[in-house]
Amino acid sequence: MSQKASNYVPYAFRCFQGFTVSDIKEFQSSRQMEIVLEKVDDKVHICGRCSGELSHQGGRYRVKARHLRMFDWTVSVLFWREKRFCPNCKKFRSELIEWICPTSPHMTMELAFWINRLSEVTSVLQVSKLESLDKMTCYKVDKHILMRLLQGYQPPKVTEICVDEVYARGPKQLKQGETRDDLFLTVVVDIRTRRVIWVSKSRRKEGLDEFFRLIGEEACRQIKVVGTDQHEGYAASVSEYCPQAKVVWDRFHLVQKFNEALNEERKDELERIDPEGEMGDLINGKYRYIYLTKAKNRRKRDRRHIEEVMRLNGKMARLEMIKEHFHKMFDCNDKMEAQVMLCECYEWAWQANASHIVKWIWSIMEDERFWNYFEYKVTNGLAEGINRAIKGLKWQAFGYKDMLYFSLKILQKCGYLNHRYFLAPTN
Ligand SMILES: [Zn+2]
């Protein structure tokens, strides 16, 4: 090919390593273009399986592969793919074509990257419709590119992380030998940037172990704070790999647990009183959320509801006070202040005969991981935005059965496994 500037051939026609363009066919009515390729004379033939050099030819077959669209034209490339003898494999093998997607031999890598790029912003189903491709093909291609990106992926340096579990699939999808823990994924978030930096399968200790082994000993030593829920598996992993790190129970999960205890109290009270009476209806399960909401977040109607209940029922009035006090405690600026408030909660719960709450407070009171909160203030394990993004992902894909793919998608949408990071890693 001439090197003269006047003979410039657009790159779109030159990106087929080992081949040159011999003909271009255009079909005006269907807006289709076919680029016919011919192999270069000095082409080196590589085995598609073992990457060794191939020797004599044994046959060839015609391949038509979809390429990137140009303007509004659908573009395909046509070429002969050769079968040659591989001395390593001792078999006839198809030659390797670098610019063809390995999982979908009827698509160029250029198009594969574009499919992957599109699927960063919308679902695979929508991408397949947009590009008139089969949905399964798009899914395979997207996964292939993500796997490739993963090979070059190194989690960023971190000092504060949050570890959380994400519910990924229903119990019906459990395979043999799996337990409930396998329904979840372990998600590691960098607290500073609020981005997901790793996802591993199951919520067992091994899930977090995997992350610590990946970043290596030196990086583990840099980790100062790990926010988790009250999951013992994660705590065990942290003490094994990052013994210097402080484990902090995050506020979101603590409030959740407190609410569970509070709800039990309401149920007990409902059982104790006459269910047919005036009170019975007011503290019924259908009003559950009213009791668990913070006072300042309640709607006007709910506020009137709670006032009426507090007037009629002494215990419910006390529970309301304990709940508000418990929430306020998280605003404390130091441990001492918080200790006083939690003790008050405990005392009031004791006086109100609220045994579920008494038991629960007792279970966290002596634990350093709870008090660490007031030093490091680790909030929601998964930041609101991330949680919503993950839920959106599941909804978009009508639930994921392929757990590896789901993990990759989380890293793509909420982390760094995407084109921005790989093409311009400094940004
Ligand atoms: Zn081979």
Side-chain angles (χ1 to χ4, degrees):
M1 202 171 291
S2 168
Q3 293 300 306
K4 272 188 285 178
S6 56
N7 266 349
Y8 183 78
V9 180
Y11 190 74
F13 298 99
R14 286 188 291 146
C15 58
F16 310 105
Q17 204 182 341
F19 293 85
T20 52
V21 177
S22 69
D23 192 15
I24 292 174
K25 293 178 183 159
E26 290 180 358
F27 305 92
Q28 287 279 355
S29 56
S30 55
R31 286 191 159 273
Q32 283 186 334
M33 192 194 290
E34 285 178 6
I35 302 176
V36 184
L37 299 176
E38 202 171 86
K39 73 166 180 171
V40 294
D41 293 336
D42 54 351
K43 188 174 193 308
V44 181
H45 301 272
I46 302 285
C47 173
R49 191 69 65 89
C50 73
S51 304
E53 201 170 320
L54 298 170
S55 62
H56 60 277
Q57 193 180 341
R60 59 177 194 169
Y61 53 96
R62 199 79 170 135
V63 178
K64 185 177 177 181
R66 271 283 300 275
H67 190 44
L68 278 181
R69 226 181 260 271
M70 287 192 215
F71 300 105
D72 206 20
W73 289 58
T74 314
V75 180
S76 308
V77 282
L78 283 152
F79 63 98
W80 290 99
R81 192 169 189 171
E82 294 184 5
K83 281 196 134 173
R84 283 170 173 264
F85 188 74
C86 175
N88 271 342
C89 304
K90 305 213 170 11
K91 250 184 180 173
F92 280 94
R93 291 269 193 226
S94 289
E95 61 173 335
L96 174 78
I97 310 278
E98 284 96 340
W99 41 270
I100 285 290
C101 181
T103 56
S104 311
H106 297 284
M107 189 185 292
T108 63
M109 277 307 276
E110 269 65 28
L111 180 58
F113 266 103
W114 177 240
I115 298 294
N116 170 255
R117 171 69 189 95
L118 286 177
S119 74
E120 280 173 16
V121 288
T122 183
S123 72
V124 161
L125 179 65
Q126 297 304 324
V127 174
S128 74
K129 283 181 183 165
L130 188 69
E131 288 292 321
S132 350
L133 287 161
D134 170 55
K135 188 189 161 193
M136 274 310 277
T137 310
C138 286
Y139 149 75
K140 272 198 266 178
V141 164
D142 187 32
K143 187 175 171 184
H144 172 75
I145 302 285
L146 288 173
M147 290 288 283
R148 274 194 145 174
L149 294 181
L150 188 70
Q151 280 168 18
Y153 174 72
Q154 185 63 38
K157 291 197 168 62
V158 283
T159 53
E160 298 185 3
I161 56 169
C162 249
V163 186
D164 221 322
E165 55 192 47
V166 166
Y167 187 63
R169 55 179 174 163
K172 277 186 196 151
Q173 288 165 3
L174 268 192
K175 295 186 195 98
Q176 235 186 354
E178 292 181 328
T179 65
R180 221 185 111 69
D181 287 337
D182 292 295
L183 299 176
F184 296 82
L185 293 173
T186 296
V187 176
V188 183
V189 178
D190 179 1
I191 291 180
R192 199 177 51 84
T193 58
R194 295 267 170 209
R195 308 223 79 182
V196 175
I197 54 171
W198 191 249
V199 181
S200 43
K201 51 181 186 184
S202 97
R203 60 171 178 188
R204 277 188 288 270
K205 175 179 175 293
E206 290 77 18
L208 190 53
D209 288 352
E210 182 185 298
F211 171 72
F212 289 137
R213 276 204 294 270
L214 177 82
I215 61 171
E217 257 176 69
E218 180 49 37
C220 280
R221 267 198 293 276
Q222 302 302 320
I223 296 178
K224 307 232 160 22
V225 178
V226 182
T228 68
D229 55 5
Q230 288 168 278
H231 202 81
E232 288 307 324
Y234 294 153
S237 178
V238 174
S239 67
E240 185 181 332
Y241 288 87
C242 316
Q244 81 289 346
K246 288 264 182 244
V247 175
V248 185
W249 282 341
D250 78 67
R251 176 179 175 168
F252 181 78
H253 285 100
L254 288 169
V255 170
Q256 228 173 16
K257 289 284 169 209
F258 175 81
N259 279 347
E260 274 169 30
L262 187 64
N263 200 34
E264 289 303 314
E265 299 295 349
R266 181 192 56 77
K267 281 196 220 156
D268 281 4
E269 189 61 10
L270 186 60
E271 251 167 48
R272 199 185 57 81
I273 58 164
D274 171 22
E276 301 296 322
E278 193 181 4
M279 266 313 288
D281 190 49
L282 286 173
I283 61 173
N284 196 301
K286 67 183 173 194
Y287 295 121
R288 189 183 62 232
Y289 71 95
I290 299 182
Y291 298 99
L292 305 182
T293 316
K294 267 200 217 178
K296 70 172 171 59
N297 296 339
R298 281 191 191 119
R299 290 176 300 178
K300 211 171 181 182
R301 198 178 59 198
D302 296 342
R303 228 174 288 153
R304 273 204 300 273
H305 183 108
I306 207 91
E307 275 161 19
E308 180 69 4
V309 171
M310 284 170 75
R311 195 176 58 80
L312 291 168
N313 183 306
K315 180 162 179 184
M316 291 306 285
R318 283 172 163 183
L319 289 176
E320 169 70 10
M321 275 168 58
I322 295 168
K323 186 204 72 191
E324 285 305 307
H325 211 59
F326 181 76
H327 280 296
K328 236 199 236 152
M329 177 190 64
F330 286 104
D331 298 332
C332 288
N333 286 318
D334 65 74
K335 189 178 152 181
M336 289 285 280
E337 217 179 310
Q339 264 169 340
V340 173
M341 286 185 85
L342 189 70
C343 284
E344 281 166 349
C345 284
Y346 183 78
E347 227 174 87
W348 297 352
W350 186 262
Q351 287 161 3
N353 227 341
S355 59
H356 295 283
I357 295 180
V358 166
K359 243 188 350 219
W360 184 77
I361 294 181
W362 184 250
S363 75
I364 61 161
M365 230 170 179
E366 297 288 308
D367 205 304
E368 180 204 26
R369 294 171 290 185
F370 171 70
W371 299 111
N372 280 343
Y373 172 82
F374 298 96
E375 201 171 330
Y376 301 101
K377 296 270 174 175
V378 173
T379 45
N380 300 17
L382 282 193
E384 260 311 295
I386 295 179
N387 229 332
R388 211 175 307 139
I390 292 176
K391 275 197 189 132
L393 262 178
K394 257 203 295 200
W395 175 83
Q396 254 183 11
F398 309 107
Y400 281 93
K401 288 195 189 101
D402 182 344
M403 295 286 271
L404 175 60
Y405 184 53
F406 188 34
S407 311
L408 291 167
K409 291 305 267 187
I410 296 175
L411 278 173
Q412 180 192 44
K413 301 230 179 184
C414 312
Y416 298 106
L417 210 61
N418 50 53
H419 80 287
R420 274 187 70 178
Y421 179 69
F422 273 88
L423 295 180
T426 47
N427 291 333

